[in-house]
Amino acid sequence: MAAHAAKVPKLDGKNSATDADDAADQIIQEAVEKIDEVQNEIDKLNEQASEEILKVEQKYNKLRQPYFTKRSDLIEKIPNFWYTTFNNHPQFSALMCDEDEEALSYLTKVEVQEFEDIKSGYKINFNFKKNPYFDNDVLTKEFHLSEAGEPYSKSTKIKWKANMDIIKKLEDHAKNSDGKRPRSETSFFSWFSENSSEVDELGEVLKDDIWPNPLQYYLVPEEDEDDDSVDDDVGDLGEESDGGEEDDDVEDD
């Protein structure tokens, strides 16, 4: 009887532990389900917010257009504005080669146009005056987002004039006849002509960083020159000050 009585508490303990675990699992499961319900409500609000934000963006995109047009008209009065702007931008300057300077001197207008629904993509128009490099008046690169959410791009075929294809020149120059590793050279036009199924970082940079305020990059050199002149003036003042102290010492002697 004593042995039988000893087994009962042990069995009861196992059952109690199992019951406690089941109860804890049930509490956790119910909490997870409630969290999921709350999260669904949050997601609905986020979707509504996105729709409202999109409407606001569309509204202000239209309101900004007259100002973009006015700005473009003023920019056209400044020679080499866009080349200078691109060349002063850290990411675009790393892309461009020496040949780009002359070719981009004919670039008169850049326009970034987001598609009507905004979220499906945008395009960038590069307007050129008559030039010795290609016949196109406008080069357009489009950036799309498919229904599946996959990015892709496409661009105007550049109609290069005879012996003026900058991309081909770079490719020929990169070929090495002395056995060394070919050099990798890039160009603005190489970037423009290359299309892939990945997000175009430079396209995003142009749309989100340069286009909203290109003047900040156009003015970079002048700001640097002003800083250098200030440093020179400070240095000259320091030298004059040191010289004055030496003269005082001579006079005291």
Side-chain angles (χ1 to χ4, degrees):
M1 292 290 292
H4 179 71
K7 291 180 180 178
V8 173
K10 189 174 182 181
L11 290 172
D12 287 343
K14 285 184 177 180
N15 290 336
S16 297
T18 302
D19 291 342
D21 290 342
D22 290 344
D25 290 343
Q26 182 64 27
I27 292 172
I28 292 172
Q29 181 62 31
E30 290 177 357
V32 168
E33 290 175 358
K34 289 180 179 179
I35 292 171
D36 188 50
E37 291 175 3
V38 173
Q39 188 61 50
N40 288 335
E41 295 301 320
I42 294 172
D43 291 342
K44 288 179 182 178
L45 286 174
N46 288 340
E47 289 178 9
Q48 292 176 12
S50 296
E51 292 174 1
E52 293 298 320
I53 291 171
L54 188 59
K55 290 177 182 178
V56 171
E57 280 295 324
Q58 290 172 328
K59 172 186 176 182
Y60 281 92
N61 268 352
K62 291 180 180 179
L63 292 175
R64 282 191 286 259
Q65 291 312 308
Y67 296 97
F68 285 147
T69 300
K70 184 176 182 179
R71 187 182 69 183
S72 291
D73 291 342
L74 293 169
I75 285 175
E76 287 188 51
K77 298 179 180 181
I78 304 175
N80 295 327
F81 179 91
W82 286 109
Y83 168 77
T84 303
T85 297
F86 292 158
N87 197 46
N88 288 340
H89 191 281
Q91 286 170 274
F92 263 86
S93 62
L95 167 77
M96 297 194 300
C97 67
D98 293 340
E99 287 270 3
D100 286 335
E101 179 174 4
E102 176 64 22
L104 290 177
S105 69
Y106 296 95
L107 176 60
T108 59
K109 181 189 295 185
V110 174
E111 298 172 297
V112 175
Q113 298 178 346
E114 294 188 274
F115 298 148
E116 185 65 26
D117 63 354
I118 296 180
K119 58 185 178 182
S120 66
Y122 60 97
K123 67 179 180 179
I124 305 175
N125 297 323
F126 301 93
N127 296 260
F128 289 83
K129 59 186 175 182
K130 187 175 181 180
N131 64 81
Y133 288 90
F134 45 79
D135 294 324
N136 310 73
D137 294 327
V138 181
L139 297 178
T140 300
K141 186 159 188 175
E142 297 184 5
F143 305 87
H144 295 265
L145 199 63
S146 69
E147 293 182 0
E150 298 176 352
Y152 67 94
S153 62
K154 58 183 181 180
S155 54
T156 305
K157 181 177 176 58
I158 302 176
K159 300 176 182 178
W160 295 103
K161 294 183 178 179
N163 301 318
M164 298 303 289
D165 188 333
I166 293 176
I167 300 172
K168 187 177 184 305
K169 286 182 180 181
L170 290 176
E171 291 173 349
D172 293 341
H173 187 57
K175 294 176 182 177
N176 201 330
S177 59
D178 58 7
K180 294 181 180 179
R181 181 181 297 176
R183 290 186 298 171
S184 176
E185 295 191 61
T186 60
S187 163
F188 168 87
F189 296 98
S190 298
W191 162 75
F192 176 85
S193 300
E194 292 172 356
N195 296 293
S196 69
S197 58
E198 298 179 355
V199 174
D200 192 306
E201 292 185 6
L202 286 172
E204 294 293 310
V205 165
L206 207 163
K207 176 174 71 77
D208 297 329
D209 187 20
I210 297 177
W211 174 247
N213 183 9
L215 191 62
Q216 65 179 323
Y217 290 106
Y218 175 79
L219 295 175
V220 166
E222 293 183 7
E223 292 176 358
D224 289 345
E225 288 174 6
D226 291 342
D227 291 342
D228 291 341
S229 65
V230 170
D231 291 340
D232 292 340
D233 291 343
V234 172
D236 293 341
L237 288 173
E239 291 175 3
E240 291 176 3
S241 177
D242 293 341
E245 291 177 0
E246 291 177 2
D247 292 342
D248 291 342
D249 292 340
V250 171
E251 289 177 2
D252 290 342
D253 290 341

